[in-house]
Structures are given as C-alpha cells and as structure tokens.
C-alpha cells in the first residue's frame, strides 16, 4: 500500500495542535474530486470544538452534480460547507462573507464588550496540493503564499493578514500516518496529494483507467484516440494500447504518468472519485 508521512508532516501536526487555541475557526480544505478520501482525520481530532468550515477546492475540475451531492451530505451532517474555484477573483470576498455569518454571535459578543471590530483568526489545513496557497493568495489579494502544483510546497507556517477583519494561519499540507485502504491511497495519488516519486505510476494509472472508462468513457476515447473496440480491452491491455498511441513504445510507466497528469489538468473531463452512495451511512469524524 502507498504510504507517505515524512517528518515535516509530523511537525506540522504538532504545530497545528500548538496553535489551535489561537484561532476562532478552522478552514478544512478537501479536494472536490475526492472530498471524502481527502478528509484528514487528524483535523477533527485536533480541532475539537472549534467551528470548522469545510471548503471543497478545485470544484471547477470536479463533477458539478456530485459536488452538490457532497455539499448536501456535509451540511446534513451539521457542517458548514462550500465549494470554490480558488482561481476566481471573487473567492476571497465570498469566504470572508461566509465566515462572518458563521461567527456572527462571536462578533456581536466582541462588540458588546466595546470592541469596534472582532478580528477573526482562522487556520487553513488540508492535504498536500489541495489548493491552500492559491486560496490564501485570493483571500489576501497578493502572492503571499507560495503556490505549486506538486505535493508539499508549503514547508512552514505563516500568518497572513487579509483585512481588518480576517487573519489566516497557513500550514503545510498534512496527511495522516496510515491510509485506510489502497483505494483511498490511489485517489490521493491521482489527485496529487501524494508525492509522485512515492508510488508506482502504473498502479495509479490503471486505477485511473478503470475509473475513467466507466465514468468518463467518451472523454477518455477522445483524449487518446481510442475506438469502441479498444474500450472492450482489459485495463492492462488498454494501458498498453494508450502507450502505443502516445508513441512511447513499451514505456507504460511513462504513459501512466501522462494519464495521471492529464487527469489532474482536466484533460479527461471533470470527475469525482468519491460517491456519496458508497458511504453506507458513514459519518464524517
């Protein structure tokens, strides 16, 4: 099974534990393409009774209908939940508005005590490459947080001031020490939450092909110029066919990485790997 929990993640969890008392609310970012699999159980443990806003990032890459199903599910569980495209210029204003509504009672209480404004302090947490830095840059309106399209870009913690009303504590992306099963590991790998050098690209590539041929078959055929007959091949033979069509001879690992990268960039269509119907009445921690 894929496992990735380097030392800097253990340190980030300790820092999260040390700083939780400083904030009013936790921004819990999950990837809209795998909103259940990218929930870090450590966040619930550390947050305890702090309000949490679940933010489904990269919604522009996810299946919009399934994203709405997940929002309904989370809200039914008692969570405040929103979906965002972090690249939109209106994202920062939208989140600030939502947070002020969620913490209206605390803000009113502060005003009753004679404070003109209550500065809201939030901590931003999520798995690697979930889009935290892009979101933070939108909120603070400047390139304050380093942005990257690979897992583990943010190495330390930093406070960012967005306005007179909101301060944000950035954190590095954190996973948890052991994934529950191979399926969750593959979903996290395909979405980019796990460092590419940690896993075998052909394993994740085959996982992706199995998913896309079922749910994004037309997009898969168009992307790699496949025929109807090709789609009847086994997953392994289909990977070999795509490798051949890409002109990569028998380098199926390289072809697998191409499929993975194409999926992340939305070149095989919008997709969501987690289905609400698969939960069997499970609850979010």
């Amino acid at each position: 099974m894929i496992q990735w929990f380097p030392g800097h993640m253990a340190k980030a969890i300790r820092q999260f534990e040390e700083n939780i008392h400083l904030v009013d609310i936790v921004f819990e970012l999950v990837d809209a393409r795998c909103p259940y699999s990218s929930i870090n159980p450590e966040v619930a443990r550390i947050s305890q009774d702090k309000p949490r806003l679940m933010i489904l990032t990269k919604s522009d890459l996810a299946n919009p209908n399934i994203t709405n199903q997940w929002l309904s599910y989370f809200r039914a569980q008692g969570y405040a939940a929103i979906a965002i495209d972090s690249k939109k210029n209106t994202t920062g204003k939208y989140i600030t508005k939502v947070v002020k509504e969620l913490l209206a009672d605390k803000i009113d209480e502060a005003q009753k005590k004679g404070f003109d404004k209550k500065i809201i302090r939030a901590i931003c947490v999520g798995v690697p490459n979930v889009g935290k830095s892009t979101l933070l840059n939108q909120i603070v309106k400047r390139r304050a947080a380093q942005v990257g399209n690979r897992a583990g870009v943010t190495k330390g913690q930093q406070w960012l001031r967005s306005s007179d009303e909101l301060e944000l504590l950035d954190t590095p992306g954190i996973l948890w020490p052991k994934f529950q099963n191979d399926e969750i590991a593959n979903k996290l790998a395909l979405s980019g939450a796990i460092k590419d050098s940690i896993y075998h690209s052909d394993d994740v590539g085959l996982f992706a092909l199995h998913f896309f041929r079922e749910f994004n078959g037309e997009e898969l055929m168009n992307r790699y110029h496949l025929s109807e007959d090709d789609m009847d091949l086994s997953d392994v033979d289909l990977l070999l066919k795509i490798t051949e069509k890409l002109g990569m001879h028998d380098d199926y690992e390289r072809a697998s990485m191409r499929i993975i990268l194409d999926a992340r960039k939305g070149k095989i269509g919008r997709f969501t790997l987690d289905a609400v119907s698969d939960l069997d009445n499970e609850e979010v921690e």
Side-chain angles (χ1 to χ4, degrees):
M1 182 185 293
I2 302 168
Q3 295 294 345
W4 186 45
F5 191 68
H8 75 269
M9 288 188 187
K11 179 181 178 181
I13 288 176
R14 290 196 301 272
Q15 291 174 329
F16 183 19
E17 291 172 326
E18 292 167 0
N19 291 316
I20 188 66
H21 70 284
L22 299 174
V23 303
D24 303 298
I25 188 169
V26 175
F27 288 176
E28 182 174 4
L29 276 62
V30 296
D31 193 318
R33 297 167 300 176
C34 50
Y36 191 77
S37 297
S38 57
I39 293 174
N40 189 334
E42 292 292 290
V43 175
R45 178 184 69 80
I46 297 170
S47 299
Q48 297 179 359
D49 59 349
K50 292 284 183 181
R52 285 152 65 193
L53 173 61
M54 189 164 286
I55 303 174
L56 278 65
T57 62
K58 305 187 180 183
S59 64
D60 53 308
L61 297 173
N63 182 307
N65 294 327
I66 301 179
T67 295
N68 287 332
Q69 292 173 20
W70 277 111
L71 289 173
S72 296
Y73 172 83
F74 289 134
R75 289 165 182 165
Q77 296 274 329
Y79 284 81
I82 60 174
I84 62 166
D85 173 358
S86 302
K87 297 176 183 177
K88 283 190 175 179
N89 292 328
T90 56
T91 297
K93 287 184 178 179
Y94 175 49
I95 288 184
T96 300
K97 177 177 177 291
V98 170
V99 171
K100 288 174 69 176
E101 291 173 355
L102 283 174
L103 299 180
D105 290 343
K106 282 193 174 185
I107 295 172
D108 289 343
E109 184 180 340
Q111 290 175 338
K112 288 176 182 177
K113 291 181 179 179
F115 296 102
D116 291 333
K117 282 188 178 180
K118 167 79 167 67
I119 297 177
I120 299 170
R121 293 184 173 88
I123 192 167
C124 194
V125 295
V127 298
N129 203 30
V130 76
K132 286 190 285 67
S133 296
T134 300
L135 172 63
L136 288 166
N137 289 334
Q138 279 294 333
I139 294 175
V140 302
K141 298 298 183 185
R142 60 189 174 88
R143 198 174 178 80
Q146 184 180 8
V147 177
N149 59 357
R150 62 187 186 279
V153 170
T154 307
K155 297 301 183 186
Q157 293 184 309
Q158 54 181 327
W159 280 100
L160 303 173
R161 188 74 173 268
S162 68
S163 64
D164 292 334
E165 298 174 297
L166 184 63
E167 287 184 352
L168 297 163
L169 181 60
D170 187 18
T171 66
I174 51 174
L175 292 169
W176 48 106
K178 188 173 183 180
F179 303 134
Q180 294 91 319
N181 54 56
D182 283 331
E183 186 174 5
I184 287 178
N186 282 326
K187 289 175 180 178
L188 291 172
L190 181 57
S191 69
I194 296 174
K195 194 173 181 180
D196 290 333
S197 60
I198 298 299
Y199 59 84
H200 296 293
S201 60
D202 54 323
D203 288 340
V204 178
L206 286 169
F207 170 81
L209 280 182
H210 186 80
F211 173 86
F212 285 120
R213 71 191 303 165
E214 180 176 358
F215 296 102
N216 289 45
E218 186 174 343
E219 292 91 339
L220 185 66
M221 290 173 64
N222 291 338
R223 180 61 184 167
Y224 302 112
H225 309 292
L226 301 170
S227 67
E228 293 284 355
D229 289 340
D230 293 333
M231 296 296 281
D232 291 331
L233 297 170
S234 68
D235 292 337
V236 172
D237 287 338
L238 184 58
L239 175 57
L240 296 176
K241 174 65 72 171
I242 292 173
T243 302
E244 177 186 331
K245 285 185 173 292
L246 289 173
M248 296 180 178
H249 305 292
D250 58 352
D251 193 350
Y252 56 86
E253 290 188 1
R254 183 179 165 209
S256 295
M257 185 52 66
R258 172 71 67 82
I259 294 168
I260 292 167
L261 295 176
D262 282 350
R264 291 177 189 169
K265 294 173 183 176
K267 293 182 178 181
I268 317 178
R270 298 174 70 167
F271 67 94
T272 304
L273 299 165
D274 291 333
V276 175
S277 59
D278 291 338
L279 288 187
D280 295 328
N281 298 319
E282 290 184 44
E283 292 188 358
V284 178
E285 290 292 334

